[in-house]
Amino acid sequence: MAKSRDPHVEGKVNRAHYSSKTELSARLFAVLDLTTEDRGLSLIPQLSRAVRRGDVLELICTDEEDAGPGSNVDRAAYIGFAEVSEAGLLLCGDAVSVREEEIGAITGFDETHLPNHLNVVIRSKRLVSGREMELPLDELITFSGICADPDRGIGF
């Protein structure tokens, strides 16, 4: 039996292939205060992850410019744990906001702790933890959506 090929691994998928998707939010239920220079996160090659209502995300900040799908991340600051409010799609490049202020953009995913939770790595200008951001419990974290644009000429 032939093994399925992954278009993400083969470099055939990019953000432009996603025509539209809903905004997604998650409720912060634990705030973290840890920064490390040698985390060794191994980001998966896939640009997106589908999540279900109730899934748990660990939000991790990095300021590494070259962080992206398939890369390794050492500089990490832990923001916190959040519960997904409804099913949706997280995509590299999605803006991540708190209180309508953008804190960065998704740069990749690490599956080290699955099925317990998914690590979502956010590239930011500053390496800052959730406590340093003064995030309160129950704060909503918002991941941007994409509006449909029929003139983009996209497809696999």
Side-chain angles (χ1 to χ4, degrees):
M1 178 181 271
K3 184 178 176 184
S4 294
R5 295 180 6 225
D6 186 334
H8 291 268
V9 173
E10 294 176 351
K12 295 180 178 178
V13 179
N14 62 51
R15 186 173 167 87
H17 289 111
Y18 295 82
S19 174
S20 59
K21 71 178 196 72
T22 59
E23 180 179 276
L24 186 66
S25 63
R27 178 188 63 86
L28 191 67
F29 65 84
V31 177
L32 300 175
D33 187 26
L34 171 67
T35 302
T36 182
E37 299 284 329
D38 62 352
R39 175 56 178 89
L41 290 166
S42 181
L43 303 187
I44 63 172
Q46 289 78 18
L47 298 175
S48 64
R49 293 287 85 182
V51 292
R52 298 177 194 97
R53 177 181 316 201
D55 278 353
V56 174
L57 309 176
E58 183 173 9
L59 306 175
I60 302 171
C61 174
T62 188
D63 60 358
E64 293 182 17
E65 292 288 326
D66 58 345
S71 71
N72 292 315
V73 172
D74 285 320
R75 292 177 48 80
Y78 295 83
I79 297 170
F81 285 91
E83 176 188 14
V84 175
S85 302
E86 59 187 312
L89 187 75
L90 296 173
L91 177 62
C92 287
D94 284 355
V96 181
S97 301
V98 177
R99 294 181 226 121
E100 298 184 25
E101 179 182 335
E102 188 174 318
I103 62 170
I106 296 176
T107 195
F109 307 96
D110 172 82
E111 297 179 335
T112 299
H113 301 291
L114 283 179
N116 186 59
H117 67 272
L118 175 67
N119 290 333
V120 179
V121 181
I122 300 164
R123 184 182 303 123
S124 182
K125 293 177 184 169
R126 296 183 324 127
L127 193 63
V128 59
S129 73
R131 183 170 182 196
E132 291 168 327
M133 287 186 217
E134 299 179 349
L135 295 178
L137 293 175
D138 293 318
E139 186 68 64
L140 280 183
I141 311 295
T142 304
F143 304 91
S144 65
I146 298 174
C147 294
D149 180 356
D151 297 324
R152 288 178 22 176
I154 64 172
F156 291 95

